[in-house]
Amino acid sequence: MGFFSLLEVAAMPVIQVLLISILGAFMATEYWNLLNADARRYLNKITFIIFTPALTFASLAKTVNFEDVITWWFMPINIGLIFLLGGIFGWIVVKILKPEPYLEGIIIATSSAGNFGNLMVIVVPAICNEEGTPFGDLNNCNSVALSYASLSMALGAFYIWTVAFHLVQSSGLAYKAIQEVKGSLSRKPNDDFDANSESYLLKADDQGQTSKQVTSTKLIDEENMEKELVVAQLSGKAGDEISSWGKITGSLQHIVKELMSPPTISAIAGFVFGCVPFLRNFIVGKSAPLRVIQDSIKLLGDGTIPSITLVLGGNLTQGLHSANLKPSIIIGVILVRYLILPVIGIGVVKVAGALGFLSPDPLFRYVLMIQFTLPPAMHLGTMAQLFNVGQQECAVLFLWTYLVAAFALTIWSTIYLWILS
C-alpha cells in the first residue's frame, strides 16, 4: 500500500468528523441558532440514553459470537492498559502544568479515553479495501474487521462510561465547589470596621505604594482563601460520603451505578444476544422473526456519530473564544496520545505476541496497535455537557487533537503495516 493511499484511508474519517463539526459550529451561531446551549444539552442526553446504546447493541449482536470472545480475550486487557497508561501520563501532565482544578479530571480523561468506536468502525474496514495489505482476502477482511471494530466499540464504551465518566464527574464536582466558594466570597461582608480617621490620612507620596501593597495582599489572600475553601469543601463532601457509606460500600455502589448506565447495559445485552445462538437467530438473518427489531435498533444507532459530532462543533463556537486552556496543556495531551502511547503500543503487542497471547491474525494485531493511536473519545464532550463543566476546553482539545490525528494516524498506520508485513 502506497503512502498516499494510506493517507487517504486514514485521513478521510477524520476529515468527515471535521466537516460535520464545522456544520455544527454554524448551527450554533446566532445566525442559525439551531444548536444553542439547551439544544446541545438535550441532544447529548438523547445520544447517551438512546443512540449510543442502540449502536453498541446492533453492532455486537450481529458480528460477535462466543468463539470470537474467547479468541480475542486480550483486547479488553489492551484497552485497559491504554486507559491505565494514558491516565498515568495525563496525571503527570496535570501535575507539571497545574491547570485549574476543575480541568484536571477532563485532561486525564482526554489522555486516556480514545475513540474506540466511531473511528474504528470506519478506519479498520477501510484498510481492507486497499491493495497490498497483509490482511488477506478482501471480503473476509471486511467481515472480521467489522467484528474487531464492534468489540472495540463495546469495550471502549464500558471503560469510557465507567473510568472516564468518573473523571469528568469529579471535574464537575470541583467546578461546582469553585462556583460555590466564589459565590460565598462575593457575599463576604466588609470587615474593615476597625479603621479610624487616621487610617485614611496617608501622605501623598506613600498613598499609591500603600494602595498597591494592600491590593496585592488582598488578591493573594483571597486567592489562597479560595483554594483552601475549595479543598476543604471537597474534602468535607468526601468525608461525609465515606462516613455515611464506608469506603467499600461506596466503591461498590459507584461500580454498580456505572454498570447500570444505558451504554454499558446495551453492551452486555449485545454480548448475550451475539454469543447465545438461540437469541441470535431471533434477530439476525433474513428469516429471523425479530429482524425488524434489530433493523430498527440499528437505524437508531446510525444517529450516534452525527449527533455527537454536531454537538462537538456547536461547543467549539464557544471554546475558540472563551476556553481557559493553556497551549502547553494541548501540547501535553497531543504528546501523550500521539507519541508516548503509540510507542508503548508497539511494545505491548510485540511482547504479547512473543508470549503467545495473541492470535496470528495480523489484522487483530493491527487493531490492537491502532487503539493506542486514536484521538480522544467524543463521548467526553457528552459527559462535559451532562455535568456542565469544561465544555469549551473539551471542544478546543478535540479541535487540535483531531487535526493532528489526520497526520498521526497516517504515519503510525504506515509504521504498523510495515511491522506486520
Side-chain angles (χ1 to χ4, degrees), residues 156-180:
F158 173 78
Y159 282 102
I160 289 170
W161 290 104
T162 51
V163 179
F165 186 87
H166 174 68
L167 291 171
V168 179
Q169 186 181 41
S170 66
S171 290
L173 292 175
Y175 182 74
K176 183 179 180 181
I178 291 174
Q179 296 303 314
E180 292 177 356

Side-chain angles (χ1 to χ4, degrees), residues 23-103:
L23 176 61
F26 279 111
M27 293 173 65
T29 59
E30 296 181 357
Y31 181 76
W32 284 7
N33 197 28
L34 296 176
L35 276 180
N36 54 34
D38 290 335
R40 296 197 299 271
R41 187 177 301 110
Y42 292 137
L43 185 57
N44 267 321
K45 291 182 179 180
I46 294 173
T47 303
F48 172 64
I49 298 174
I50 303 296
F51 291 161
T52 300
L55 179 63
T56 304
F57 176 84
S59 299
L60 286 175
K62 184 177 181 180
T63 60
V64 176
N65 54 47
F66 184 75
E67 291 77 11
D68 293 335
V69 174
I70 299 300
T71 306
W72 306 336
W73 66 271
F74 189 78
M75 187 178 290
I77 298 177
N78 192 68
I79 297 179
L81 288 174
I82 295 172
F83 271 84
L84 175 62
L85 298 172
I88 291 174
F89 287 107
W91 178 80
I92 293 175
V93 170
V94 165
K95 292 303 178 181
I96 294 177
L97 301 180
K98 301 185 184 303
E100 295 293 331
Y102 70 90
L103 293 177

Side-chain angles (χ1 to χ4, degrees), residues 332-392:
V333 173
I334 289 175
L335 290 177
V336 171
R337 293 228 62 97
Y338 300 127
L339 181 61
I340 299 176
L341 287 181
V343 173
I344 295 176
I346 295 175
V348 169
V349 174
K350 283 285 189 180
V351 172
L355 295 175
F357 294 159
L358 307 180
S359 66
D361 183 10
L363 180 59
F364 182 67
R365 303 190 180 200
Y366 172 82
V367 169
L368 296 180
M369 290 182 182
I370 207 69
Q371 286 175 342
F372 279 88
T373 322
L374 297 170
M378 288 189 292
H379 288 297
L380 296 177
T382 302
M383 298 175 190
Q385 191 81 25
L386 290 173
F387 293 109
N388 195 26
V389 58
Q391 300 172 43
Q392 296 84 6

Side-chain angles (χ1 to χ4, degrees), residues 95 99-102 104 170 173-182 184-185 222-240:
K95 292 303 178 181
E100 295 293 331
Y102 70 90
E104 293 181 357
S170 66
L173 292 175
Y175 182 74
K176 183 179 180 181
I178 291 174
Q179 296 303 314
E180 292 177 356
V181 169
K182 287 183 178 180
S184 63
L185 289 177
E222 288 185 355
E223 182 178 357
N224 292 334
M225 182 185 299
E226 180 179 334
K227 292 182 179 179
E228 292 175 359
L229 287 174
V230 170
V231 173
Q233 188 168 359
L234 291 175
S235 301
K237 291 181 179 180
D240 293 340

Side-chain angles (χ1 to χ4, degrees), residues 196-212 214:
N196 51 36
S197 58
E198 293 182 358
S199 301
Y200 302 98
L201 297 178
L202 302 175
K203 295 182 180 180
D205 56 346
D206 295 336
Q207 187 171 0
Q209 182 178 0
T210 304
S211 177
K212 292 179 180 178
V214 171

Side-chain angles (χ1 to χ4, degrees), residues 292-308:
V292 64
I293 297 179
Q294 165 73 4
D295 293 341
S296 300
I297 294 175
K298 182 180 182 301
L299 186 62
L300 282 174
D302 291 340
T304 304
I305 297 175
S307 299
I308 293 176

